[in-house]
Amino acid sequence: MFFKLLKLMNWFTAQCRQQFYNVTFGTKFRYFGKGCTVDISGKVKIGSNVYIGDYVSLIVENGAVLEIADNSFIGENCYIKCFGGKVVIGKDVSINSKSYINGCGGVTIGDNTRIGTQSMIIASNHKFGEPDVLVKDAITKLGVNLGENIWLGARVTVLDGVTIPSNSVIGACSLVSKPLDDAGVYVGSPVKKIKDL
């Protein structure tokens, strides 16, 4: 009996939380998880039927923008930080658990893209080799652009200035540090093309 009552209480709490965020963001979420960090000073636009997992952090600083289109999925413990740039997540995108997006230079993720667990997209970087500039102050903000229908395997890292063409696959644990010229299957650190698509 106790566990049935606990399950009912959890369901009721989830419904109340979802309704609160539906009103707050002016949309209709499929699910809005417990324990989320929502720190919004910038602009946010969220489509319908979006899933936000438990313990997700959505941080949008003043002057930054976050857009999530319809039917997209943000898994539990993901961290999306928009500061100084615009993060645009297309339709039917899946960003799986414990992934991290740094949107400083801007990030675009095309429709129907799949991002594996614990992946990182970092849209800023530090330069070095300039004797008159400290590394902490020498920052690039070129942005990251992922096309449509891309699959990033688990633990892929994508760095600032990268473009990945539509219909590409990046193997698990790979590092993408430079723009990719054409669609294909890429693996390694740094990635190398192993197959055309």
Side-chain angles (χ1 to χ4, degrees):
M1 181 66 182
F2 171 77
F3 292 107
K4 287 183 179 179
L5 182 59
L6 185 61
K7 186 175 181 180
L8 181 63
M9 286 174 55
N10 286 338
W11 175 85
F12 180 74
T13 302
Q15 294 301 310
C16 291
R17 182 173 57 248
Q18 186 168 327
Q19 290 305 316
F20 173 80
Y21 284 109
N22 284 348
V23 171
T24 301
F25 288 104
T27 189
K28 185 168 184 178
F29 287 97
R30 183 174 7 144
Y31 176 77
F32 201 103
K34 62 185 175 186
C36 290
T37 299
V38 180
D39 186 355
I40 309 291
S41 299
K43 295 181 181 177
V44 176
K45 181 180 178 183
I46 298 180
S48 63
N49 202 40
V50 170
Y51 182 103
I52 304 289
D54 297 339
Y55 306 106
V56 166
S57 293
L58 299 175
I59 300 170
V60 185
E61 294 186 356
N62 191 31
V65 177
L66 172 63
E67 295 181 6
I68 304 174
D70 298 347
N71 304 314
S72 285
F73 173 94
I74 313 294
E76 69 274 5
N77 293 293
C78 284
Y79 187 97
I80 299 174
K81 185 171 184 179
C82 309
F83 56 108
K86 184 175 185 179
V87 174
V88 178
I89 298 169
K91 293 180 182 178
D92 296 297
V93 169
S94 176
I95 302 173
N96 284 286
S97 62
K98 300 179 182 175
S99 292
Y100 172 82
I101 296 175
N102 160 341
C104 185
V107 174
T108 301
I109 301 172
D111 297 346
N112 301 302
T113 289
R114 297 292 177 261
I115 297 175
T117 186
Q118 298 182 15
S119 291
M120 292 192 290
I121 298 173
I122 304 172
S124 63
N125 207 344
H126 292 273
K127 299 185 291 183
F128 57 91
E130 298 177 25
D132 297 332
V133 182
L134 297 172
V135 171
K136 73 177 184 70
D137 296 327
I139 298 174
T140 66
K141 299 177 185 178
L142 303 174
V144 171
N145 186 2
L146 305 185
E148 298 184 359
N149 191 38
I150 290 174
W151 176 22
L152 303 185
R155 296 186 175 180
V156 168
T157 299
V158 179
L159 299 181
D160 190 36
V162 164
T163 297
I164 300 177
S166 296
N167 306 310
S168 292
V169 176
I170 311 297
C173 300
S174 293
L175 169 65
V176 189
S177 58
K178 294 181 180 176
L180 305 181
D181 293 328
D182 46 27
V185 178
Y186 294 82
V187 296
S189 181
V191 292
K192 292 182 179 175
K193 189 176 186 181
I194 61 169
K195 185 178 179 181
D196 289 321
L197 287 178

